[in-house]
Amino acid sequence: MVFRSEYEDVPILDTPIHEAVLGHATERYGDTAALIDGTNGTTVSYAQLDTFHRRIAAALAEAGVVKGDVLALHSPNTIAYPAVFYGATRAGASVTTVHPLATAQEFAKQLTDSSARWIVTISLLLDTAREAAALAGSVERIFVCDQAEGHLSVLDMLGSTAAEPRVDIDPGEDVAALPYSSGTTGAPKGVMLTHRSIATNLDQLRPLVPLGPGERVLAVLPFFHIYGLTALMNGPLRHGATVVVLPRFDLHEFLGAIQTHRITGLYVAPPIVLALAKHPAVEGYDLTSLRYLVCAAAPLDAGLARACSARLGLPPVRQAYGMTELSPGTHVVPLDAENPPDGAVGKLLPGTEMRIVELDGSGDDTAPGAAGEILIRGPQVMKGYLGRPEATAAMIDAEGWVHTGDVGRVDDDGWLFVVDRVKELIKYKGYQVAPAELEALLLTHGSVADAAVIGVQDDDGNEIPKAFVVRGAPTAGAALTEGEVLAYVAERVAPYKKVRRVEFVDAVPRATSGKILRRELRDRDREQSRTAPEAGAELPPDTEESAV
């Protein structure tokens, strides 16, 4: 059967995203604080944000940015990020958001795949951006948000006297954001999100999670991730809330910002819920301004959610569900729901349809209440994967249904519960890790004959990458060790992608087609976990994830 939202449909928002968010900002909100730097208190009003993004658009157009260009935004969260994003879209560019901890090689792949001509970064990341640009060969110019010799600064752009560009944007066809996602499997792909899809999704979310002047949300999840881009940037700024910005997650800084800025709402991922529920530092801060907490990006344990809300004296933690390919929201537990069932990820957003289908590939709907693959259809569906029509067709069928790769069930009251995942994608603390990417990297090691990667649970309940490795010829007479494998991967990928455990096997189980039989590996890992806990080698020291 087709499940439909109990909420009234919202009109399609055929508006460029910069207009959808800031079109009436000055007249409606004026001197209200739009953005506050959570580290030093610098404040940008709505009137200033509106002016700033228009001046940045003018400066970018003067520099040569034209409609159809792709601009790579390579930065942690800062109060400049929204102005750059909206300035770029007003100039007609699509913005491909880049993980600030990406290696130069990873960044270069994204630049090449997206055909990005421009980069906006920060001075701290400039060396990586330069190396990536050199590897890609397509970048014309690198700008910085702060100051760096030889690079035009966004701060200088604010004083531009160039004419504001007038670009004819087709909201239903033109791509506003180009985040990269692995979808259900494989290497990261550019997700083409149109102005219409991401703007409409904002209005779909509003009846369930209303925001407005007086609300203060804390942006610690990264803006480059579609969750942060929607829930912490586009959504609050469209409705006059104040966004307090932090560049990364540090528990004491995070708690201090809640206390100092009287934060009313948190949008987080499960690791932060864990910290709020269990870390002793929480007791040292006044968090009484909080009114609600929403958790998404990865599965949340129901017991942990209860512990967190009880400790903070809040209503039950609200969960949400979606994916990058869906702009991203499809389900949210409404803020006004009095007793949402434990583990529910929400109810369908307005204008969104869902089916639960059998896992046997027949495409038949499951019996009522039974689990199956979640299919979604609605105006928030992506335009497709950039340059990958076959991958798009595999994800979106002829009737417009997105095959999410997640397994879920729906109860009699319309609550969705996500119970498993068909897809191979690993969600490490909310970040997507593609097994295929790590497997390809492992095979470049001279002493690795074969490899497979799956997601397993660590002691804290996080899903982590585990590699099953077949040793090849020994190097210098010594057999390959777990520590060597961990270090080899860690030196070549962003920290969140690191392999966290290694098991050496005689062979990787494969089907006759060559496809890795990951279910066999998962069964093997579960059996070992029941009999003997795995010690694991110590990872080399590094700078950990910037957000969660």
Side-chain angles (χ1 to χ4, degrees), residues 268-454:
V268 298
I272 296 178
V273 178
L274 175 64
L276 290 170
K278 297 185 176 182
H279 200 286
V282 173
E283 301 298 337
Y285 294 85
D286 177 5
L287 309 183
T288 55
S289 60
L290 289 175
R291 295 194 293 105
Y292 64 90
L293 190 155
V294 177
C295 182
L300 176 66
D301 177 75
L304 177 61
R306 288 193 298 271
C308 178
S309 59
R311 187 183 196 191
L312 299 181
L314 293 175
V317 174
R318 269 49 178 160
Q319 291 200 62
Y321 174 74
M323 59 194 307
T324 306
E325 290 81 352
L326 293 165
S327 301
T330 70
H331 291 74
V332 176
V333 176
L335 293 188
D336 61 4
E338 293 186 2
N339 294 296
D342 283 349
V345 299
K347 292 196 171 185
L348 275 168
L349 300 187
T352 306
E353 298 175 301
M354 177 178 64
R355 292 172 60 207
I356 307 293
V357 302
E358 297 286 357
L359 299 176
D360 58 9
S362 66
D364 296 333
D365 293 329
T366 61
E373 184 178 6
I374 301 167
L375 273 57
I376 297 291
R377 186 167 65 182
Q380 67 267 56
V381 172
M382 68 173 177
K383 183 176 180 179
Y385 291 121
L386 178 68
R388 290 173 171 81
E390 291 183 0
T392 301
M395 187 74 168
I396 308 174
D397 66 27
E399 295 181 341
W401 291 102
V402 173
H403 293 243
T404 67
D406 288 319
V407 180
R409 62 178 178 84
V410 180
D411 71 9
D412 292 339
D413 295 319
W415 294 102
L416 175 66
F417 299 80
V418 177
V419 299
D420 203 346
R421 194 151 68 233
V422 176
K423 57 192 177 185
E424 300 167 354
L425 191 68
I426 299 166
K427 281 288 193 77
Y428 176 70
K429 295 188 176 181
Y431 292 128
Q432 297 179 346
V433 181
E437 184 179 6
L438 293 177
E439 289 158 359
L441 175 58
L442 286 165
L443 291 174
T444 65
H445 192 292
S447 294
V448 173
D450 200 1
V453 176
I454 63 169

Side-chain angles (χ1 to χ4, degrees), residues 29-51:
Y29 310 122
D31 293 335
T32 299
L35 299 156
I36 299 176
D37 187 319
T39 64
N40 61 26
T42 301
T43 300
V44 176
S45 71
Y46 272 92
Q48 289 174 320
L49 178 58
D50 185 30
T51 299

